[in-house]
Amino acid sequence: MLTTNPFDDDKLREECGVFGVWGADSASALVALGLHALQHRGQEAAGITSFDGHQFHSHRAMGHVAGNFDRDDIIRRLAGRAGIGHVRYSTTGETAIRNVQPLFADLSSGGFAIAHNGNLSNAMKLRRELNRRGSIFQSTSDTETIIHLVATSTYRTLLDRFIDALKQVEGAYSLVCLTSEGMLACRDPLGIRPLVMGRLGDAYIFASETVALDVVGATYIRSVEPGELIIVSDRGIRSHRPFGDVRPRPCIFEHVYFSRPDSIVDGASVYSVRKQIGAELARENPVQADYVVPVPDSGVPAAIGYAQESGIPFELGIIRSHYVGRTFIQPSDQVRHLGVKLKHNANSALIQGKSIVLIDDSIVRGTTSLKIVQMLREAGAREVHMRIASPPTRHSCFYGVDTPERAKLLAAQMNVAQMNDYIKADSLAFISIEGLYRAVGEESREETQPQYCDACFTGAYPTRLTDHEEAEPADQLAMLQERYA
């Protein structure tokens, strides 16, 4: 059976990544490079759509960017000075080529391609209404709902029809759209998912993270503001704010785990924030130990911050192999157990007889934490004290992050003491929600209007969850299982 690596199946999955270029020679080559930098945000599939001034060209494929978009013949076929791309991890819809983005449709106004990072929390309701009105869907992706809303809008211009469509959707979206007239880039009114803008010569570039701008040599201009819609064409660049003033609620987990450490998210260095999270964690949850050890790679910056604040030496007590794919054959329980060490292995010579502070970014189901603690004990660690660089994950995300249904979240079923017994550590502690807010630069979390979307920790969802709220309990479970299958 082909199955996910056991050190990957207990993480919150990265959502998706988008990248767009307007006004550059060989735009698709730049898009491919940008998608390489965003590969961590989606590893199931990738796609690029370009426009050469006369017609659109698309190539979509299952798998990574490398192997699908590093061939000259494919890039040459994706001709034009404008292009958008997408890397996908499925949060809505099955894993199939028909759901790989960018999605494309010939509308009455011409070709329209769209790439979406996020999740629409009322897509199922809208889809039922559109079906009743005669729309025929070609995918199971929530993103296609936007295309049908644009197509059926009664407004005259494409821009007005697009805005009309966005005003009907709920949830999270950062979008880049390609038309024959120009490129549209927008972020939902709460700014839940990130989107940045850059410049490369005369070309404008949009990406989910600044690291993608760095890779193509573009200059970072700024973040696309929550609720902002930017139109780029040969006539220049315009900014619209069609949603009025809404207090932003960007996803705080971008700082904890999703974004690459070398990215800037909403003006803050992800690496610096993660180090500060580790420092807060050390102040809140000190422990006597010989070494601070990260779970690589996501736990490294927080572990550095913990070590610097606590004065306990930082060491690489777990070594990660970077040459193991996300999947491998597991024909038996014995091989499955041994397969853990294909990706992470304890540095036995270092940790033998030592007391370890183990730093990880989160605990989801708890299966990974259990295996890592066991691995360190088998390697001779005297004590293993686990410290987590986020609060307990007690609630599912409905905004484009793959989380299990709540019944499978360890922190939703157990208190911290029970979780510690489950993972068999000597102690377990999480950063507090207030500590996390301090680490991202806020004095405190405002209870009535939190500055971030922290629903996975607190259950304080910033939008309606129409599809979830209106479904029967059995349908809710089926919906979650389909969404995160």
Side-chain angles (χ1 to χ4, degrees):
M1 180 177 64
L2 196 65
T3 184
T4 305
N5 186 295
F7 271 81
D8 287 332
D9 64 3
D10 193 30
K11 290 292 185 182
L12 299 180
R13 301 288 190 185
E14 303 87 343
E15 324 89 292
C16 294
V18 300
F19 192 91
V21 178
W22 181 272
D25 293 333
S26 301
S28 60
L30 293 176
V31 175
L33 288 172
L35 294 182
H36 271 287
L38 299 173
Q39 186 73 84
H40 61 287
R41 298 186 73 90
Q43 300 181 37
E44 282 188 352
I48 296 176
T49 297
S50 68
F51 180 65
D52 65 7
H54 301 284
Q55 62 183 11
F56 291 83
H57 309 272
S58 291
H59 183 75
R60 300 180 298 162
M62 306 303 298
H64 289 191
V65 179
N68 285 311
F69 292 96
D70 52 3
R71 289 167 42 192
D72 290 341
D73 59 323
I74 290 176
I75 296 299
R76 281 197 302 270
R77 288 201 300 270
L78 296 168
R81 304 186 75 247
I84 63 173
H86 187 270
V87 288
R88 180 176 191 265
Y89 182 84
S90 60
T91 57
T92 297
E94 63 184 329
T95 302
I97 195 67
R98 64 175 177 160
N99 288 326
V100 179
Q101 299 186 31
L103 300 182
F104 176 82
D106 276 312
L107 306 181
S108 60
S109 57
F112 182 84
I114 183 170
H116 172 203
N117 172 211
N119 194 71
L120 307 182
S121 56
N122 66 335
M124 294 175 70
K125 180 180 180 180
L126 291 171
R127 186 185 183 108
R128 288 193 296 267
E129 294 171 353
L130 287 161
N131 278 332
R132 283 194 292 267
R133 287 155 50 186
S135 292
I136 301 173
F137 282 75
Q138 302 298 313
S139 75
T140 60
S141 169
D142 63 331
T143 309
E144 191 181 354
T145 306
I146 298 174
I147 294 177
H148 287 278
L149 290 173
V150 173
T152 57
S153 174
T154 58
Y155 283 86
R156 187 177 62 85
T157 69
L158 176 61
L159 178 59
D160 287 338
R161 291 160 68 184
F162 185 62
I163 292 171
D164 180 40
L166 295 184
K167 287 184 175 180
Q168 297 178 63
V169 302
E170 301 169 358
Y173 55 84
S174 284
L175 305 171
V176 287
C177 306
L178 184 60
T179 77
S180 58
E181 299 296 322
M183 182 171 290
L184 306 171
C186 67
R187 203 170 167 197
D188 68 75
L190 296 173
I192 298 174
R193 300 267 71 88
L195 191 64
V196 298
M197 177 170 62
R199 192 82 183 264
L200 181 62
D202 294 330
Y204 285 95
I205 297 178
F206 298 92
S208 292
E209 293 185 37
T210 58
V211 66
L213 303 179
D214 298 338
V215 165
V216 300
T219 301
Y220 169 59
I221 298 176
R222 62 178 176 86
S223 291
V224 176
E225 296 295 326
E228 183 180 19
L229 169 59
I230 297 175
I231 303 100
V232 181
S233 69
D234 292 337
R235 295 185 297 275
I237 185 169
R238 294 175 289 154
S239 174
H240 291 256
R241 296 182 181 273
F243 304 106
D245 292 330
V246 181
R247 184 168 182 174
R249 293 275 299 275
C251 172
I252 201 166
F253 217 89
E254 290 285 348
H255 293 287
V256 175
Y257 175 65
F258 293 133
S259 296
R260 265 180 46 165
D262 45 344
S263 282
I264 306 294
V265 173
D266 291 322
S269 160
V270 174
Y271 179 76
S272 296
V273 168
R274 288 180 187 167
K275 282 182 63 180
Q276 190 57 39
I277 289 173
E280 287 286 346
L281 189 57
R283 287 190 283 269
E284 290 185 348
N285 301 288
V287 65
Q288 293 294 319
D290 296 304
Y291 298 132
V292 175
V293 171
V295 177
D297 289 320
S298 57
V300 171
I304 293 173
Y306 193 104
Q308 291 176 347
E309 179 64 25
S310 66
I312 301 171
F314 171 93
E315 293 287 355
L316 295 179
I318 300 173
I319 306 301
R320 178 188 174 189
S321 170
H322 291 267
Y323 301 98
V324 178
R326 292 179 65 86
T327 59
F328 57 89
I329 301 298
Q330 296 182 333
S332 68
D333 288 340
Q334 180 184 10
V335 174
R336 182 179 294 109
H337 175 72
L338 294 175
V340 170
K341 295 185 178 182
L342 284 175
K343 193 160 189 178
H344 293 78
N345 192 40
N347 188 354
S348 301
L350 175 76
I351 66 176
Q352 176 74 38
K354 303 299 188 206
S355 178
I356 303 299
V357 183
L358 183 66
I359 307 292
D360 204 357
D361 57 83
S362 61
I363 291 180
V364 184
R365 294 180 179 89
T367 53
T368 291
S369 302
L370 175 63
K371 292 170 184 174
I372 293 176
V373 171
Q374 179 184 359
M375 182 176 68
L376 292 181
R377 292 201 189 282
E378 290 174 351
R382 187 177 78 254
E383 295 178 342
V384 181
H385 301 277
M386 197 153 197
R387 297 293 181 265
I388 306 300
S390 62
T393 303
R394 295 192 171 101
H395 303 270
S396 297
C397 176
F398 296 90
Y399 302 121
V401 179
D402 174 39
T403 50
E405 59 266 28
R406 196 161 183 237
K408 293 184 179 179
L409 294 172
L410 194 67
Q413 311 305 315
M414 301 180 182
N415 60 33
V416 174
Q418 291 168 329
M419 294 173 71
N420 184 55
D421 290 342
Y422 176 80
I423 67 172
K424 297 179 171 57
D426 291 280
S427 69
L428 170 67
F430 296 78
I431 192 171
S432 68
I433 191 69
E434 289 292 336
L436 181 59
Y437 269 73
R438 287 192 296 270
V440 297
E442 301 288 346
E443 291 185 6
S444 64
R445 179 183 185 270
E446 297 182 20
E447 290 293 336
T448 56
Q449 284 189 306
Q451 303 92 312
Y452 287 87
C453 177
D454 54 24
C456 54
F457 309 129
T458 65
Y461 295 99
T463 74
R464 282 197 63 196
L465 304 176
T466 298
D467 291 338
H468 185 70
E469 292 166 357
E470 295 185 358
E472 295 295 326
D475 294 333
Q476 291 179 5
L477 178 58
M479 180 176 65
L480 283 166
Q481 288 171 338
E482 177 185 351
R483 176 174 293 164
Y484 304 122

